[in-house]
Amino acid sequence: MGPEGKTLLNIIILGFGFMFMFTAFQTCGNIEQTVIKSFNSTEFHGSGYTSMAIIYGVFSASNLIAPSVVAVIGPQLSMFFSGLVYSGYIAMFIHPYTWSFYTASVVVGIAAAILWTAQGNLLTINSTDATIGRNSGIFWALLQFSLFFGNMYIYFAWHGHVHISDKDRQTVFISLTVISLVGSFLFFLIQKPEPEATPSEASESLLQTESTESSSIVVATPGLGSQALDAFKKALQLSVTKEMLLLSISIAYTGLELTFYSGVYGTCIGAMTQFGDDAKSLIGLSGIFIGLGEILGGGVFGMLNKCNRFGRNPVVLLGLITHFVAFYLIFLNIASDAPIAPEEGTHLQAYITPSVEVALLCSFLLGLGDSCFNTQLLSIVGFMFREDSAPAFAVFKFVQSITAALAFFYSNYLLLHWQLLIMVVVGFLGTLSFFVAEWVVVSSRRDTDYDSI
């Protein structure tokens, strides 16, 4: 197999590994708050929203050290050990305790920072300027299949269930734990990519490939402490560059809407008593439609790469319009107190007669819009910071996770219409700032090949 075929295979394996892991974890996040409300235990006092706020808060802070960890042990082992931590968090729901619930939330936040920094590094070293858009789309589409498979299982397993029993919960989370472990072990199938043809690029990279090592793809050069410190310093330097500051508002928006579609919206649907006894199973069906939107967006704007001559801006604008349509329909269709309703649900009605079809259409639009933003952000960050990919993606995840943590925190208290308003304002500003960042790229690299989205 040639070098290009090997790197493409690496991207596909990377995508499948994340697909298995996040089939488990995203399904867990989608049903977490609903499951917690149904616990048959007086000893457990926890909130799914609070747990996710802790995860993303620790995730954000840990992104400052994640490049150093990846530099020392390499991306392959970084992702494997992080995957084991994710599996442990999911397994905790089999027999949950309050202390283990919040402790696991802290640990998985650290693991998430290392996992996504390693992922960004692997995506970049297995891509060129011409293939970064395609590879981002392939990875994103495979990752979002996790929403499809995990939530399909929830839909059929919980169909007709008004209350989630302990047996229902244990069966689901044992299955999800096994699936997550499969994804972790898939990372060992990733091969070392061929070294860069340009010597200067290879020497400037923080994470260099070594032909003498077979146990990992990227290993540290001599002086591990020095390299870890350099990676940390580089992350701080990148965080204040003009390009990263411009992208930060767009990245922050993806953190807010990540919280909404991965946790809040499913809870809202499950709380709507007007949807009947199937409201709980509709959480899974909603996740399936979100996944379909994510997969379609990743395929069209990544793998097919049809819009490259127009740049990234049209895709991001489409994502914003798609989300605004979804937010408006959700505002009309879902009761305002749905995010904070008790287990028995809400009896309030929004501005139209609640419709399952409209709710599922909004799920699809949320996924499609999210894929528009994320594929383009992955592409532009990998393109602009190719030689510093690990620190750059650490900054990306730092901004995204801190806003996701904030959103999960206020989801405990804010009514639905206020949450939607926050996303509308930040989404509009983020789109404008992305346009400026894209124009900076075009003007600064006018003499280079600009083939990726």
Side-chain angles (χ1 to χ4, degrees):
M1 183 181 293
E4 185 175 351
K6 182 182 291 186
T7 55
L8 179 59
L9 180 61
N10 284 344
I11 296 297
I12 293 173
I13 294 172
L14 180 68
F16 272 105
F18 272 72
M19 184 188 75
F20 276 94
M21 277 185 56
F22 283 87
T23 289
F25 186 74
Q26 290 198 108
T27 304
C28 174
N30 199 22
I31 64 176
E32 186 173 306
Q33 183 71 2
T34 301
V35 166
I36 287 174
K37 291 178 181 178
S38 301
F39 276 158
N40 294 325
S41 173
T42 58
E43 299 178 358
F44 184 88
H45 304 285
S47 164
Y49 291 155
T50 302
S51 169
M52 298 304 286
I54 292 172
I55 289 174
Y56 282 100
V58 175
F59 183 2
S60 180
S62 299
N63 275 296
L64 298 175
I65 62 169
S68 301
V69 176
V70 176
V72 171
I73 68 174
Q76 195 171 43
L77 288 177
S78 296
M79 292 190 300
F80 172 71
F81 288 120
S82 297
L84 295 183
V85 174
Y86 271 73
S87 302
Y89 176 82
I90 297 165
M92 180 273 308
F93 283 92
I94 299 172
H95 293 290
Y97 298 95
T98 305
W99 67 269
S100 64
F101 179 49
Y102 288 127
T103 301
S105 300
V106 172
V107 178
V108 83
I110 299 171
I114 297 170
L115 176 77
W116 284 101
T117 299
Q119 176 271 332
N121 176 235
L122 268 175
L123 177 67
T124 303
I125 65 176
N126 283 281
S127 304
T128 64
D129 288 350
T131 63
I132 184 67
R134 180 203 66 183
N135 291 347
S136 297
I138 291 173
F139 171 79
W140 192 256
L142 287 172
L143 169 64
Q144 298 309 327
F145 267 106
S146 61
L147 286 167
F148 182 80
F149 294 119
N151 287 291
M152 179 178 289
Y153 172 61
I154 294 299
Y155 175 71
F156 287 108
W158 289 2
H159 187 69
H161 289 215
V162 178
H163 177 79
I164 308 305
S165 67
D166 288 345
K167 183 180 179 181
D168 293 334
R169 184 193 74 245
Q170 291 167 358
T171 301
V172 165
F173 283 99
I174 289 173
S175 302
L176 295 180
T177 301
V178 173
I179 292 170
S180 178
L181 288 171
V182 171
S184 300
F185 282 95
L186 278 179
F187 295 135
F188 284 118
L189 299 179
I190 298 176
Q191 304 175 62
K192 180 184 64 179
E194 295 295 329
E196 292 279 350
T198 305
S200 60
E201 291 182 357
S203 63
E204 290 171 4
S205 174
L206 284 174
L207 306 173
Q208 298 177 347
T209 56
E210 296 290 335
S211 60
T212 57
E213 294 291 333
S214 59
S215 59
S216 66
I217 296 172
V218 179
V219 297
T221 53
L224 298 181
S226 174
Q227 187 177 17
L229 181 60
D230 288 343
F232 176 74
K233 289 179 178 178
K234 179 57 84 172
L236 294 180
Q237 292 169 359
L238 291 180
S239 66
V240 295
T241 60
K242 176 178 65 175
E243 294 82 2
M244 189 61 78
L245 289 174
L246 285 170
L247 292 173
S248 291
I249 304 177
S250 303
I251 296 170
Y253 173 65
T254 64
L256 298 180
E257 49 101 4
L258 167 67
T259 294
F260 188 75
Y261 82 75
S262 67
V264 176
Y265 188 56
T267 301
C268 291
I269 290 177
M272 292 293 290
T273 57
Q274 295 92 334
F275 291 159
D277 293 342
D278 285 338
K280 293 292 188 292
S281 64
L282 286 176
I283 298 174
L285 196 57
S286 170
I288 291 172
F289 276 83
I290 291 172
L292 290 175
E294 295 276 13
I295 294 163
L296 177 63
V300 171
F301 304 121
M303 289 187 291
L304 299 182
N305 207 16
K306 293 295 185 183
C307 301
N308 59 343
R309 58 177 175 166
F310 301 112
R312 302 174 178 88
N313 286 345
V315 181
V316 171
L317 180 60
L318 175 62
L320 181 71
I321 295 171
T322 302
H323 273 172
F324 278 11
V325 171
F327 295 158
Y328 179 66
L329 293 176
I330 291 169
F331 175 73
L332 296 178
N333 192 51
I334 303 295
S336 62
D337 67 335
I340 55 177
E343 184 190 358
E344 56 269 20
T346 176
H347 297 280
L348 295 181
Q349 184 171 315
Y351 295 93
I352 62 174
T353 301
S355 167
V356 172
E357 291 77 13
V358 171
L360 296 179
L361 172 63
C362 292
S363 298
F364 174 79
L365 294 176
L366 288 173
L368 180 61
D370 181 68
S371 69
C372 291
F373 275 95
N374 275 284
T375 55
Q376 305 317 299
L377 283 168
L378 285 172
S379 174
I380 196 172
V381 171
F383 185 82
M384 295 172 68
F385 304 102
R386 177 168 177 74
E387 297 178 1
D388 300 305
S389 58
F393 279 99
V395 175
F396 180 117
K397 287 298 176 180
F398 172 81
V399 176
Q400 186 181 63
S401 54
I402 200 168
T403 54
L406 177 64
F408 273 114
F409 175 76
Y410 67 58
S411 295
N412 280 304
Y413 309 102
L414 291 185
L415 296 175
L416 179 62
H417 56 272
W418 292 116
Q419 297 189 38
L420 294 173
L421 179 61
I422 290 171
M423 289 189 290
V424 166
V425 173
V426 179
F428 178 75
L429 296 176
T431 301
L432 292 180
S433 67
F434 186 96
F435 287 174
V436 176
E438 174 76 348
W439 289 327
V440 168
V441 171
V442 173
S443 61
S444 64
R445 307 208 177 196
R446 200 179 300 270
D447 297 327
T448 66
D449 289 331
Y450 188 64
D451 297 324
S452 60
I453 293 182

